[in-house]
Amino acid sequence: MPRRQGYALLIALVAGTAALAAGVAFAGPLLFSGSGTGRKQTAAPDPRSVARTPAAPAHSTGLWLSTWTAAPTTGLIDTYHGGDPARRTIRNVVHTSIGGDAARITLSNLFGTRPLVIDHATVNTRPVTFRGASAVTVAAGGRVVSDPVVVPVAADADLVVALRTPTAEGPVTIHPGTHQTSYVEDERGTWRTTDWRYLTAVDVHNETAAGTIAVIGDSLTAGTGSTLDANSRWPDLLADRLHDRYAVANAGIAGNRILRDGSGVRASARFDRDVLDVAGVRTVVIALGINDVQQSPQETDPRRIADALRSLTRRAHAHGLRVVGATLMPYEGFRTWTPAQNTVREQVNDLIRAGGVFDSVIDFDKAARDPYRTSRLLPSYDSGDHLHLNDTGYRRLGSLVDLAALRHGQPVSDQL
C-alpha cells in the first residue's frame, strides 16, 4: 500500500481506543535542552511563549515546524447520530508533510460559545499534556497549544490525534470537507466523519528541515474533487517533491474569498492566524481569487482582486517571508460562469503575470486550461463540475511549483 494512503482505520480504531481506555500516566512534558542529545524533565513553559512563532527553537539544532494545519472554518451544532454531543472521543486523522522526534498540537474553540474541556488527548496513542496537566479548558473563541510530547512522527504518513470531550458544550469548531476519514466515538459506537474537529495544527521538532511553506487558498487548495483518503491535494504532492526539506501547511478553505467573508472569514482577515502564525514559516504560497470572481456578489473589478493579493504579499514581506502566487484557473461549464466574469479572471491573470503582485508566479491557468478552449479546464483534469480538479489535475498543479522559487536563504531542488 502506498505510504500516503496509510493505515488510519486500524490505528484509529484499535491503538487509539486502547490508549484512551488505559489512561497512561505521564510525568510531565519532556523538553529539549543542551546540545540536542540529552533530555531533562522540567516545568513546561507557557505554550504561548514558544508556539505560533516562526522557527521557535526546541533546542540548539532544531526547529518547530508545522507538519500539518487546518484552518478553522465554522461552528457545527453537533447532533451527531442523535447521541450526546458532550461525551465523545474524536480521532482526527491527519497526513504529515515532514517528520520529527517530538510533536505539539493546537486546539481551537474559535466558534464555540462556551468553554471546551478536553480531559484526555493523545498523538499516536502517546498522552499529551497542557502546562503539565492532562486536561485543558479552552475558552470560547480561544485556542491552546500543548506541551511538547516525545513521540516519533513519520513524514508522509497518517497521524491520529485523539481528543476526549466529557463536558463540551456549544458549537464544535471544525474544518469540514477534509477528504480524509476521521472518527467520532460515543457510548453506542464509532462513526466516520470527514470533519476535523478542534485540531488546527500539528507541529514537529525537526533538526534538518529548513522551514515551513504555508499555503493559503480555497477549495482548489483544500482538494475538492480529489479522492477520499488518497492525500492527493496539490500541496500534498508538493510536499512529496520537497523530500522532507520543508514542511507544507495547507490553509485551504473551500469557498474562501479574499475580499468578502463567505465560507470562513475572508483570506485577508485570517492571514495572520493561518499563515503568519504558522510555526517555522519561511515562504507563503497564495492561490486565491477565483471565488471573488465567480461567487455572488461577483467582483467585477480585477484591480481590486490584484490589489488585495498584493496587500497579502506586503504583509508577508513585513515578516521577512517570500511569496509565490498562482494564476486563476478557468471554469466554463460551472453554474456561475459568464463570459463577463471570465474576462475579469483573465484580467486578474494579466495583472499577476505582469509582476508586482507576487515575488514569483505559478501559472496554474496555463497548465490546467484546454488549449483548444482556454476558458475551460482540460477535460482530463476536470473532476466533473468544471471548476475543481481530479487527482490527475492536482498532481499536475503539484508538479508545477518551481522549487527554487520557494527557497529562503538557500536553493531547493528536486534532488534534495
Side-chain angles (χ1 to χ4, degrees):
M1 179 181 289
R3 289 174 67 200
R4 64 174 49 260
Q5 292 182 358
Y7 295 93
L9 179 60
L10 179 62
I11 294 171
L13 298 184
V14 179
T17 301
L20 284 178
V24 178
F26 189 65
L30 295 178
L31 300 183
F32 295 95
S33 62
S35 64
T37 57
R39 297 188 181 108
K40 66 179 181 179
Q41 288 186 331
T42 185
D46 182 342
R48 293 167 296 183
S49 68
V50 295
R52 311 278 67 81
T53 57
H59 63 67
S60 59
T61 60
L63 303 175
W64 282 108
L65 308 173
S66 287
T67 187
W68 172 91
T69 59
T73 304
T74 189
L76 174 69
I77 304 300
D78 197 347
T79 56
Y80 207 81
H81 292 277
D84 179 2
R87 298 185 181 277
R88 295 216 170 101
T89 295
I90 300 157
R91 305 193 200 289
N92 292 297
V93 178
V94 306
H95 198 78
T96 62
S97 56
I98 63 166
D101 54 19
R104 67 187 183 195
I105 61 175
T106 300
L107 306 180
S108 174
N109 193 23
L110 178 64
F111 297 101
T113 57
R114 299 186 182 183
L116 163 69
V117 175
I118 302 291
D119 74 348
H120 194 71
T122 62
V123 174
N124 274 2
T125 77
R126 189 68 60 87
V128 177
T129 62
F130 301 84
R131 303 187 73 173
S134 60
V136 67
T137 299
V138 188
R143 67 178 177 180
V144 299
V145 181
S146 76
D147 303 326
V149 53
V150 179
V151 59
V153 176
D156 189 22
D158 285 350
L159 185 80
V160 179
V161 178
L163 308 170
R164 191 170 63 194
T165 59
T167 58
E169 297 182 61
V172 178
T173 297
I174 67 167
H175 179 100
T178 64
H179 315 290
Q180 190 103 39
T181 303
S182 294
Y183 304 89
V184 177
E185 177 185 304
D186 63 19
E187 68 280 0
R188 295 167 303 139
T190 300
W191 320 95
R192 293 172 181 259
T193 179
T194 54
D195 299 334
W196 286 314
R197 299 173 180 226
Y198 301 124
L199 182 70
T200 59
V202 177
D203 302 338
V204 294
H205 174 261
N206 185 294
E207 296 189 5
T208 60
T212 301
I213 296 166
V215 184
I216 186 168
D218 46 42
S219 57
L220 293 159
T221 296
T224 299
S226 64
T227 300
L228 180 70
D229 295 328
N231 298 297
S232 55
R233 313 163 192 86
W234 71 259
D236 296 325
L237 281 300
L238 172 61
D240 290 347
R241 294 177 58 214
L242 290 165
H243 302 296
D244 306 333
R245 185 60 175 156
Y246 282 82
V248 177
N250 188 338
I253 293 179
N256 203 223
R257 303 176 66 153
I258 309 169
L259 295 169
R260 294 177 182 268
D261 293 342
S263 180
V265 298
R266 62 193 180 277
S268 58
R270 68 184 181 96
F271 195 68
D272 283 19
R273 182 194 73 195
D274 294 339
V275 173
L276 301 182
D277 287 352
V278 166
V281 62
R282 290 287 184 268
T283 301
V284 181
V285 180
I286 300 174
L288 287 161
I290 196 63
N291 289 322
D292 294 85
V293 172
Q294 66 90 13
Q295 286 185 356
S296 181
Q298 296 171 329
E299 178 55 58
T300 59
D301 184 352
R303 292 194 175 276
R304 275 178 47 81
I305 297 173
D307 287 346
L309 293 170
R310 188 179 294 109
S311 176
L312 296 183
T313 297
R314 291 195 188 105
R315 288 165 64 182
H317 284 173
H319 290 259
L321 306 179
R322 182 172 178 79
V323 180
V324 179
T327 53
L328 312 187
M329 289 183 287
Y331 65 102
E332 183 180 358
F334 191 68
R335 63 183 181 276
T336 62
W337 187 88
T338 67
Q341 292 311 113
N342 187 62
T343 298
V344 173
R345 180 189 67 86
E346 291 177 334
Q347 290 173 339
V348 172
N349 286 344
D350 289 343
L351 292 168
I352 290 173
R353 293 184 183 112
V357 176
F358 305 119
D359 298 322
S360 180
V361 174
I362 320 166
D363 205 337
F364 281 177
D365 169 52
K366 183 177 179 181
R369 70 194 182 196
D370 185 340
Y372 301 103
R373 193 181 183 96
T374 58
S375 57
R376 71 180 184 186
L377 292 172
L378 192 69
S380 61
Y381 293 167
D382 192 339
S383 68
D385 67 3
H386 312 301
L387 173 65
H388 301 102
L389 304 187
N390 55 26
D391 291 350
T392 301
Y394 287 127
R395 189 175 304 114
R396 175 62 174 143
L397 298 191
S399 73
L400 283 176
V401 182
D402 179 1
L403 301 188
L406 300 176
R407 71 184 184 273
H408 186 281
Q410 54 183 310
V412 181
S413 74
D414 277 326
Q415 286 70 49
L416 285 176

